[in-house]
């Protein structure tokens, strides 16, 4: 699992405060293609806020974000997605009244439809259907794609969340606790999928399950109270005394 | 939003009934029906925003009124212009105003969007109310646009006019319905639906939702312009009242009456609303309360009740109250009693989509 | 125009702005805490004005109107909240718009049934029916000074209530983070009713104060409602102090505009609103988005 030389997505001294609270402080990280970068940290450490900053949903208070070396600090969420940075949400964020297929097809359509194609009847847009079906197959939701998303089990809804993230063929994946609420079997399938994805994507994964994280991550970052506490390969993190004291020790 | 095959047949049958109406009704009712068709166009154009995109706008009536005033402003005093000139100009004016108002108001959401659309709508109202541009508070008469196409002119006598205008309105309503059905079937329609259900997620997926909402806002405004143009043609008169926000609120009521879930709902709602507006008139003619109470020896009281019953806004207010309190899903939410339903073969709630 | 004339317009602007603040603050509070869009807020203002008109007609002087509007408004607001609005907190905007639109129609028809559709002027209370000399050639209406003083006093009480009391803290929290409202739990019902009562009382009081200045007429609430919307948009969400400064700004711009550039003055506030929406869509005085 070798990473290409230049990082795809990179931040320098990124900070975000809400009123008096600084949720993210001076965070500099780099995501490389072919690498799964796990971010861990206790509740309220600022992990989701970091994803919100990277995906353009929140404007940073200070600091810089670069995509392929170009500054994208003030780019809006839709433009980040168009540029190939896709994210999933910690709290399932889908279209409950639509079918599974329609959910994913909206995600495909977002990236693959030129303006003038917009007036095509949706029933004639077979290309979107094909691509959406392929993505559903990949996450293991290929069966009965016409069920209404809102009626599915929590685990299946999480899979829709992931499928929508993959649908636009992004280069960078920001996954905010994709496993939350999944069963054991589903987690194992997800681990395989993540490893597979990490071969040709830059992946940022937020996850609380330490065993899982250590089994999939190529690189890890520990956040505490908004700041970076440590960053490096998993072995180094496991050995880091400060991390052990404040985080791993308490967790296990 | 779109009807099933069976629903499409029902709609076609409805259109045929509407097309035959002038052969069955007196002139007064033909004119009333034209009024209802104009209201239906207004409500239908607003449905693109409310039911399809989830944008509750209170400025929609302003685009409608502006289009009617445009007809007045471009028409010379003595002779009407061709509809081929007035209609595009009215639609253009309404669309341009919608672009201006939409570009600003869509920078806000929810409650603020409501307030801003209402305020800008009232701005247009004040322009015509407070200046002499369009006859001031009293309004002004105008020469009706002529039905001339490419050198051909369709002429009609004074007595034929209500019927001709009725068909002009009906053709436009049907065209508008088909256009919106086409739009909602397209990928663009899917995006609007996605925005209505979960705009936040749409942005994260890569949709610049502002642009799509603005497009819907401008299309809706331009279609309201078609309705406003027809109003000017129908009444040959404009006054500031048609711009005021109460018109927008009434259009919202028509939508709620007919149901948010469908494209034909606003049409049914508009017909019901216009019919309801006739009730005080009918009560005024028949004087049922005055008669009943004087028959039982309470003539004075009867006259009071009668006077109340003839108040249009009182009735409207009470009807709205009743609808939002007991019929939150409009007339469409009414179900046939169980023993009748099978005969109609109506499908129960199953395929309806839940609003988030 | 002379300096004295300018001073008079300035005072008029402040007085108008303060009245707008009484209306707009209730509107923001009710929206901020309960998420309710009350289009009938302008009608409550109208009710206040007619209360002043009717008390003056009945007792011959308007001195009774103010306490009546304040206390009656609070009771009326509480009743409205209990009877109607409470059931609409979780309904969507469309339902709220139509509910409050229905109330506007019902208020207007009730007015029409009770007093008819004529314009009526309301005499200034006798105690304030004189002018206060300011400089040698310039004096200013004592009643308008009284209106300014009463509005400022109410504004101070409102600020203290929001900033210093426990309920005020809950209200601020609710306005900043709507999801907090659930956390309040049992208190919520009391808070909701109080906020609605206060908002209604302020609107009625503004109407009662305004009646001698603007007379009373059908549909008078509509104009004030829309200007208050502009105030709230410019002031920013959930911010009482924002509403205060923005009301003053609008009051001054509108009044001075009408005095000095009458041709375009009607549009001035809308241009201002457009500018704010372009520059800072979250409002001049609200928190940044
Ligand atoms: N929009 C916001 N406004 C105000 N404060 C916020 C906002 N979003 C997050 N915060 C605060 O920022 C801090 C970091 O939150 P964040 O959600 O990033 O933590 P997290 O690491 O994802 O936690 P968890 O593991 O529970 O998901 C928290 O104290 C949170 O309350
Ligand atoms: Mg989180």
């Amino acid at each position: 699992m070798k990473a290409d030389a230049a990082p795809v997505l990179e931040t320098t001294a990124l900070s975000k405060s809400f009123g008096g609270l600084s949720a993210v402080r001076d965070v500099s990280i780099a995501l490389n293609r072919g690498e799964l970068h796990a971010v861990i940290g206790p509740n309220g450490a600022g992990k989701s806020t970091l994803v919100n900053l990277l995906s353009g949903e929140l404007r940073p208070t200070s600091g810089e974000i670069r995509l392929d070396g170009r500054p994208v600090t003030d780019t809006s969420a839709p433009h980040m997605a168009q540029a190939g940075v896709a994210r999933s949400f910690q709290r399932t964020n889908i279209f409950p009244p639509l079918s599974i297929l329609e959910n994913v097809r909206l995600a495909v359509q977002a990236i693959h439809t030129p303006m003038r194609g917009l007036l095509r009847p949706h029933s004639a847009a077979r290309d979107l259907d094909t691509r959406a079906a392929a993505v559903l197959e990949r996450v293991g939701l290929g069966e009965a794609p016409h069920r209404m998303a809102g009626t599915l089990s929590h685990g299946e809804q999480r899979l829709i969340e992931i499928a929508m993230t993959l649908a636009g063929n992004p280069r960078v994946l920001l996954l905010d606790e994709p496993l939350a609420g999944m069963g054991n079997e589903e987690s194992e399938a997800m681990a395989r999928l993540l490893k597979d994805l990490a071969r040709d994507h830059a992946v940022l994964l937020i996850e609380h399950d330490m065993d899982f994280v250590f089994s999939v991550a190529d690189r890890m970052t520990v956040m505490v109270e908004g700041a970076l506490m440590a960053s490096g390969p998993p072995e180094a993190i496991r050995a880091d005394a400060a991390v052990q004291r404040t985080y791993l020790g308490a967790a296990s | 939003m779109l009807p099933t095959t069976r629903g499409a047949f029902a709609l076609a049958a409805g259109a045929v009934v509407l097309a035959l109406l002038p052969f069955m009704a007196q002139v007064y009712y033909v004119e009333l029906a034209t009024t209802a068709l104009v209201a239906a166009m207004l409500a239908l154009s607003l449905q693109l925003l409310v039911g399809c995109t989830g944008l509750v706008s209170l400025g929609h009536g302003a685009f409608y009124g502006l289009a009617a005033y445009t007809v007045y402003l471009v028409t010379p005093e003595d002779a009407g212009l061709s509809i081929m000139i007035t209609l595009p100009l009215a639609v253009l004016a309404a669309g341009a105003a919608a672009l201006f108002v939409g570009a600003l108001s869509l920078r806000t959401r929810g409650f603020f969007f409501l307030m801003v659309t209402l305020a800008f709508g009232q701005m247009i109202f004040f322009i015509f109310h407070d200046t002499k541009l369009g006859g001031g508070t009293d309004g002004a008469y105008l020469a009706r646009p002529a039905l001339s196409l490419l050198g051909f002119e369709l002429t009609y006598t004074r007595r034929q006019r209500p019927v001709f205008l009725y068909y002009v309105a009906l053709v436009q309503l049907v065209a508008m319905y088909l256009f919106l059905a086409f739009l909602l079937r397209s990928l663009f329609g899917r995006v609007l639906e996605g925005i209505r259900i979960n705009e936040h997620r749409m942005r994260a997926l890569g949709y610049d939702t502002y642009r799509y909402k603005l497009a819907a806002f401008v299309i809706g405004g331009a279609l309201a312009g078609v309705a406003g143009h027809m109003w000017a043609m129908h009444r040959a008169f404009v006054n500031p009242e048609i711009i005021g926000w109460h018109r927008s609120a009434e259009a919202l009521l028509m939508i709620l009456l007919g149901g948010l879930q469908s494209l034909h709902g606003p049409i049914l709602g508009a017909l019901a609303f216009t019919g309801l507006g006739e009730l005080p008139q009918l009560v005024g003619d028949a004087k049922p309360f005055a008669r009943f109470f004087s028959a039982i020896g309470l003539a004075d009281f009867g006259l009071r009740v009668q006077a109340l019953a003839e108040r249009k806004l009182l009735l409207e207010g009470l009807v709205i109250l009743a609808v939002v309190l007991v019929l939150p899903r409009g007339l469409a939410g009414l179900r046939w009693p169980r023993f009748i339903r099978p005969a109609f073969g109506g499908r129960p709630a199953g395929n309806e989509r839940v609003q988030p | 125009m002379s300096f004295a004339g300018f001073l008079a317009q300035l005072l008029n602007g402040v007085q108008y702005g303060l009245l707008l603040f009484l209306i707009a603050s209730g509107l923001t509070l009710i929206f901020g805490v309960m998420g309710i869009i009350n289009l009938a807020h302008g009608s409550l203002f109208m009710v206040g004005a007619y209360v002043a008109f009717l008390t003056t007609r009945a007792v011959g002087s308007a001195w009774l109107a103010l306490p009546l509007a304040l206390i009656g408004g609070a009771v009326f607001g509480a009743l409205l909240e209990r009877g109607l609005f409470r059931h609409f907190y979780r309904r969507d905007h469309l339902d709220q718009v139509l509910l409050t639109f229905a109330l506007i129609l019902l208020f207007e028809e009730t007015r029409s049934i009770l007093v008819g559709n004529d314009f009526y002027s309301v005499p200034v209370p006798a105690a304030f029916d004189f002018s206060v000399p300011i400089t040698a050639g310039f004096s200013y209406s004592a009643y308008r000074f009284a209106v300014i003083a009463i509005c400022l006093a109410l504004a101070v009480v409102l600020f203290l209530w929001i900033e210093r009391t426990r309920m005020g803290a809950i209200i601020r929290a609710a306005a900043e983070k709507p999801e907090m409202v659930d956390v309040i739990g049992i208190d919520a019902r009391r808070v909701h009713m109080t906020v609605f009562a206060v908002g209604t009382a302020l609107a009625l009081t503004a109407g009662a104060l305004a009646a001698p200045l603007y007379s009373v007429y059908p549909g008078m609430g509509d104009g004030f409602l829309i200007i208050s919307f502009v105030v709230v948009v410019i002031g920013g969400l959930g911010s009482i102090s924002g509403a205060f400064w923005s009301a003053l700004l609008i009051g001054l711009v509108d009044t001075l505009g009408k005095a000095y550039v009458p041709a375009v003055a009607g549009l001035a506030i809308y241009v201002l609103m457009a500018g704010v929406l372009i520059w800072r869509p979250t409002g001049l005085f609200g928190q940044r988005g």
Side-chain angles (χ1 to χ4, degrees):
Chain A
M1 297 204 185
K2 62 172 170 38
D4 297 348
V8 186
L9 191 64
E10 190 180 16
T11 72
T12 28
L14 200 62
S15 300
K16 175 70 187 179
S17 42
F18 299 107
L21 175 89
S22 46
V24 169
R25 267 187 271 186
D26 261 343
V27 170
S28 303
I29 61 166
L31 304 181
N32 296 304
R33 188 176 136 90
E35 200 175 76
L36 196 154
H37 191 138
V39 174
I40 61 173
N43 290 112
K47 306 179 295 292
S48 296
T49 305
L50 179 63
V51 167
N52 287 339
L53 291 170
L54 291 176
S55 63
E57 189 162 315
L58 291 176
R59 292 284 100 85
T61 314
S62 65
E64 201 190 27
I65 307 172
R66 284 181 309 281
L67 181 64
D68 297 325
R70 283 190 312 277
V72 289
T73 313
D74 287 321
T75 307
S76 69
H79 287 109
M80 283 307 270
Q82 294 287 353
V85 178
R87 67 158 310 172
S88 73
F89 288 85
Q90 180 173 354
R91 282 185 57 189
T92 306
N93 192 354
I94 59 175
F95 303 90
L98 302 185
S99 75
I100 303 176
L101 187 66
E102 285 170 322
N103 265 275
V104 180
R105 204 171 52 180
L106 268 180
V108 177
Q109 186 185 329
I111 308 298
H112 290 277
T113 316
M115 267 295 172
R116 63 193 148 70
L118 271 179
L119 290 180
R120 274 188 300 164
H122 69 85
S123 51
R126 293 269 162 255
D127 47 331
L128 301 184
D129 278 342
T130 316
R131 179 148 176 81
V135 173
L136 282 173
E137 203 62 54
R138 185 162 191 196
V139 302
L141 257 184
E143 270 166 53
H146 292 289
R147 285 173 297 161
M148 198 202 272
T151 62
L152 302 181
S153 73
H154 181 73
E156 284 174 308
Q157 294 194 357
R158 296 300 300 167
L159 290 178
I160 296 183
E161 181 77 44
I162 306 298
M164 285 205 282
T165 312
L166 299 181
N169 222 351
R171 289 175 299 152
V172 181
L173 291 170
L174 309 171
L175 304 174
D176 196 350
E177 305 198 19
L179 297 165
M182 274 191 191
N184 257 343
E185 236 171 84
E186 288 163 317
S187 298
E188 268 167 40
M190 187 57 73
R192 258 175 293 163
L193 178 65
L194 284 178
K195 280 184 182 158
D196 191 26
L197 286 170
R199 267 188 279 150
D200 51 358
H201 291 81
V203 183
L204 182 146
L205 171 74
I206 295 176
E207 182 46 53
H208 279 294
D209 182 337
M210 285 308 127
D211 295 336
F212 184 86
V213 170
F214 278 106
S215 74
V216 296
D218 301 310
R219 199 170 178 70
M220 287 177 67
T221 290
V222 185
M223 280 179 80
V224 176
E225 288 175 12
L228 273 195
M229 173 175 254
S231 193
E235 314 80 63
I237 296 295
R238 208 193 290 271
D240 188 299
V243 175
Q244 287 220 331
R245 232 185 358 265
T246 60
Y247 188 55
L248 294 180
S252 58
Chain B
M1 274 273 143
L2 297 169
T4 55
T5 317
R6 187 182 292 166
F9 277 117
L11 277 174
V16 169
V17 170
L18 283 178
L20 294 177
L21 182 117
F23 299 106
M24 307 183 285
Q26 298 158 4
V27 173
Y28 176 81
Y29 288 103
V30 174
E31 285 183 334
L32 183 66
T34 310
T35 304
L37 293 183
V38 174
M41 280 193 264
L42 176 64
L44 191 56
S45 67
L46 184 56
Q47 178 76 321
L48 179 65
L49 301 183
V50 178
C52 308
T53 319
L55 294 169
V56 181
S57 162
L58 276 174
H60 207 65
F63 309 133
Y64 163 86
L66 184 66
Y69 266 95
T70 305
V71 180
Y72 164 76
L73 291 174
V74 300
T75 306
E77 218 160 277
D78 41 357
L81 293 172
S82 160
I83 189 173
M84 296 305 280
I85 298 172
T86 55
L87 184 58
L89 284 178
V91 169
L92 205 68
L99 180 62
F100 168 78
V101 174
L104 290 169
S105 55
L106 286 168
R107 294 170 67 84
T108 62
R109 275 159 217 280
F111 181 37
F112 276 57
F113 177 74
L114 261 165
M115 292 197 294
V116 174
T117 50
L118 175 57
F120 279 126
Q122 284 312 94
M123 176 179 91
I124 297 174
F125 172 83
F126 284 125
I127 291 175
F128 288 102
H129 187 269
D130 291 4
T131 69
K132 280 284 146 211
L133 200 59
T137 48
D138 297 332
Y141 288 93
L142 56 91
R144 288 194 172 83
L147 292 176
S148 51
L149 310 172
L150 312 166
F152 265 121
E153 179 155 349
L154 212 56
T155 51
Y156 45 78
T157 64
R158 214 184 158 75
R159 282 205 34 225
Q160 292 169 323
R161 189 172 62 210
V163 174
F164 268 82
L165 291 181
Y166 174 81
Y167 282 117
V168 172
L170 185 60
V171 166
Q172 290 181 86
L173 176 64
V174 171
M176 192 185 288
Y177 179 89
L178 293 176
F179 171 71
L180 285 176
F182 160 78
L183 207 61
L184 294 183
R185 257 177 217 283
S186 71
L187 293 177
F188 177 72
R190 290 287 131 149
V191 178
L192 298 188
E193 186 182 32
I195 291 175
R196 189 194 78 220
I197 299 169
N198 188 347
E199 180 176 358
H200 177 223
R201 188 44 155 151
M202 289 297 275
R203 287 179 59 79
L205 287 179
Y207 291 98
D208 190 349
T209 53
Y210 175 82
R211 289 182 177 201
Y212 287 94
K213 289 194 290 185
L214 186 57
F217 198 86
V218 172
I219 295 172
L223 294 179
V226 176
H229 174 270
M230 188 61 225
W231 177 257
M233 202 164 164
H234 174 40
R235 290 295 167 102
F237 178 69
V238 288
N239 67 353
E241 209 177 294
I242 58 175
I243 309 182
W245 72 273
H246 286 208
R247 195 80 190 124
S248 308
E250 285 173 357
L252 288 175
L253 172 64
M254 295 172 208
I255 290 179
L256 193 71
L257 269 178
L260 281 162
Q261 319 283 339
S262 69
L263 207 49
H264 59 268
I267 301 178
L268 297 179
L271 298 182
F273 177 82
T274 311
L276 210 68
E278 282 303 291
L279 215 54
Q281 178 83 43
L282 292 178
V283 171
D285 291 343
K287 304 231 177 294
F289 295 104
R291 285 198 202 153
F292 173 74
F293 284 106
S294 70
I296 59 171
L298 293 167
D300 271 2
F301 182 69
L303 284 179
R304 286 214 194 140
V305 175
Q306 180 67 36
L308 283 184
E310 287 176 31
R311 284 181 178 268
K312 194 170 169 181
L313 295 185
L314 190 65
L315 176 77
E316 197 181 314
L318 290 174
V319 167
I320 302 175
L321 214 52
V323 170
V324 292
L325 286 176
V326 301
L327 270 187
R329 308 187 52 197
L331 297 177
L334 278 179
R335 292 276 153 225
W336 297 106
R338 209 168 282 273
F339 57 92
I340 304 183
R341 206 184 300 156
F344 279 79
R347 207 150 40 141
N351 67 339
E352 276 168 343
R353 286 185 167 152
V354 196
Q355 295 269 7
Chain C
M1 215 181 273
S2 65
F3 177 70
F6 175 71
L7 204 63
Q9 294 299 347
L10 213 58
L11 284 169
N12 283 345
V14 169
Q15 170 260 305
Y16 180 46
L18 286 170
L19 274 184
L20 287 179
F21 168 70
L22 293 193
I23 309 173
S25 57
L27 207 58
T28 340
L29 270 181
I30 290 172
F31 175 71
V33 177
M34 282 90 89
I36 278 275
I37 296 164
N38 187 10
L39 297 179
H41 207 69
S43 297
L44 297 173
F45 170 83
M46 177 193 76
V47 170
Y50 275 88
V51 165
F53 166 66
L54 290 173
T55 36
T56 315
R57 199 163 69 171
V59 217
S61 133
W63 61 268
L64 232 180
L66 204 58
L68 206 61
L70 204 57
I71 297 166
V75 174
F76 187 46
L79 289 177
L80 276 178
E81 201 274 337
R82 288 234 124 164
L84 269 183
F85 283 92
R86 174 166 294 177
H87 309 292
F88 282 78
Y89 294 156
R90 289 182 188 280
R91 301 277 284 273
D92 56 29
H93 288 170
L94 184 59
D95 290 342
Q96 298 180 357
V97 163
L98 286 173
L99 168 76
T100 53
F101 178 62
L103 287 181
I104 292 181
L105 297 181
L106 295 179
F107 280 132
E108 287 287 343
E109 283 291 56
T110 310
R111 175 206 39 75
S112 165
I113 290 165
L114 292 180
V115 275
N117 294 330
D118 294 327
F119 274 61
Y120 291 104
S121 60
V122 177
V124 168
F128 293 105
D129 197 4
F130 63 94
S131 291
V132 183
I134 307 279
T135 59
F138 170 58
S139 57
Y140 192 71
S141 149
Y143 182 68
R144 284 184 190 261
F145 270 128
V147 169
I148 292 177
I150 294 169
C151 289
L152 281 176
L154 286 172
V156 168
V157 173
L158 192 64
F159 276 116
L160 289 179
W161 180 54
I162 301 262
E163 296 294 330
R164 295 285 160 79
T165 64
R166 206 178 82 83
M167 188 180 275
I170 295 174
I171 288 168
R172 267 179 292 140
E176 274 160 30
K177 279 199 164 176
E179 62 274 15
M180 281 276 297
V181 181
D182 290 339
V183 184
I184 314 169
I186 302 175
D187 261 1
R189 299 182 130 229
R190 204 163 52 92
V191 172
H192 290 168
M193 207 161 87
T194 313
V195 168
F196 220 95
V198 168
T200 310
L202 288 175
L204 260 80
T205 307
L209 288 172
L213 298 172
Y214 307 106
S215 57
V216 298
Y217 51 93
M220 68 183 292
D222 247 25
F224 281 89
L225 174 76
I226 284 148
I227 309 277
S228 316
F229 278 180
V230 178
V231 167
V232 174
V233 170
I234 291 180
L237 177 62
S239 155
I240 291 291
S241 60
F244 183 80
W245 296 117
S246 133
L248 279 182
L249 181 68
I250 295 286
L252 285 169
V253 167
D254 199 48
T255 309
L256 294 177
K258 282 189 173 132
Y260 293 99
V261 272
V264 294
L267 291 181
I269 56 164
Y270 298 107
V271 174
L272 197 66
M273 180 170 84
V276 168
L277 287 173
I278 291 170
W279 181 46
R280 281 191 63 167
T282 49
L284 280 189
F285 309 96
Q287 313 112 330
R288 275 177 192 271

